[in-house]
C-alpha cells in the first residue's frame, strides 16, 4: 500500500510539474508615419510564457479604423489581391515582417487604427485576445507648385 501511495504521489507531482500553460500577452501601441507602410516585428506583440516556450505564431484579426492591414505574401510592398487581412489569419514568427499596415495617403491620427491579436507557443495553444493600437504621425510634404500659365514673377 505504501508503494502504491508513493507511486501515485510521484505520478501526481510529476504531472503537476510538467503541466504546460498557454502564453500570455498584453496591449501595445505602435507608431508609424504618414505615407509609409509600418512593418511589424515580433517585439510588437507582447509575449510571456511561464513554461519558457518561445513564441511560434500569432493570430491577427481585421483592423478597425483607417488604412489597410495586410500580409505582404510576395514581399513587394503592395497590397495585392488576397493580402488584406479580412478574417483571422495565423502568421509564423519568422514571417511577422510580412505583416504591414498602410495608412491612407496623407492621413494621420492617434489612435489611427486598432486590431486584435493572440500569441501562440506552438505547444499549449494561444493567449487571450488583446489589442494593438496604431498611431500615425504626420509628415511634412514637400511644397508643390502648379504653373497655370503666364509669368509668375
Amino acid at each position: 500500500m505504501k508503494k502504491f501511495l508513493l507511486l501515485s504521489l510521484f505520478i501526481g507531482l510529476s504531472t503537476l510539474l510538467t503541466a504546460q500553460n498557454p502564453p500570455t500577452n498584453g496591449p501595445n501601441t505602435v507608431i508609424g508615419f504618414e505615407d509609409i507602410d509600418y512593418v511589424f516585428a515580433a517585439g510588437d506583440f507582447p509575449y510571456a510564457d511561464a513554461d519558457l516556450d518561445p513564441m511560434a505564431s500569432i493570430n491577427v484579426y481585421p483592423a478597425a479604423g483607417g488604412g489597410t492591414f495586410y500580409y505582404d505574401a510576395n514581399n513587394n510592398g503592395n497590397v495585392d489581391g488576397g493580402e488584406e487581412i479580412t478574417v483571422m489569419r495565423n502568421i509564423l514568427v519568422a514571417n511577422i515582417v510580412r505583416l504591414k499596415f498602410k495608412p491612407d495617403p496623407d492621413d494621420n491620427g492617434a489612435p489611427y487604427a486598432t486590431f486584435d491579436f493572440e500569441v501562440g507557443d506552438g505547444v499549449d495553444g494561444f493567449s487571450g485576445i488583446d489589442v494593438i493600437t496604431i498611431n500615425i504621425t504626420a509628415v511634412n510634404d514637400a511644397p508643390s507648385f502648379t504653373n497655370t500659365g503666364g509669368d509668375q514673377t
Side-chain angles (χ1 to χ4, degrees):
M1 182 70 162
K2 284 184 181 180
K3 287 182 184 179
F4 176 75
L5 198 55
L6 188 56
L7 181 60
S8 294
L9 181 62
F10 175 75
I11 291 172
L13 183 58
S14 168
T15 301
L16 180 64
L17 292 176
T18 59
Q20 294 285 309
N21 299 297
T24 59
N25 62 356
N28 194 19
T29 299
V30 297
I31 300 171
F33 295 94
E34 180 182 308
D35 301 328
I36 300 172
D37 285 11
Y38 183 85
V39 179
F40 287 90
D44 290 329
F45 299 88
Y47 178 86
D49 190 289
D51 309 315
L52 304 179
D53 297 321
M55 183 165 55
S57 67
I58 60 172
N59 288 334
V60 294
Y61 296 83
T68 304
F69 185 40
Y70 70 108
Y71 179 79
D72 195 3
N74 58 3
N75 213 23
N76 69 353
N78 297 314
V79 184
D80 301 313
E83 290 184 339
E84 185 173 354
I85 307 290
T86 58
V87 296
M88 187 277 291
R89 183 164 188 159
N90 180 263
I91 300 170
L92 296 174
V93 168
N95 294 329
I96 288 177
V97 295
R98 291 182 179 217
L99 185 64
K100 300 175 182 179
F101 182 81
K102 180 183 290 298
D104 293 328
D106 297 320
D107 204 7
N108 60 76
Y112 187 81
T114 61
F115 67 92
D116 291 338
F117 74 101
E118 303 167 294
V119 292
D121 62 8
V123 179
D124 309 304
F126 286 86
S127 64
I129 292 177
D130 224 312
V131 66
I132 288 186
T133 300
I134 303 168
N135 293 339
I136 299 297
T137 302
V139 174
N140 285 334
D141 294 325
S144 64
F145 173 77
T146 303
N147 186 346
T148 58
D151 187 1
Q152 300 293 318
T153 58

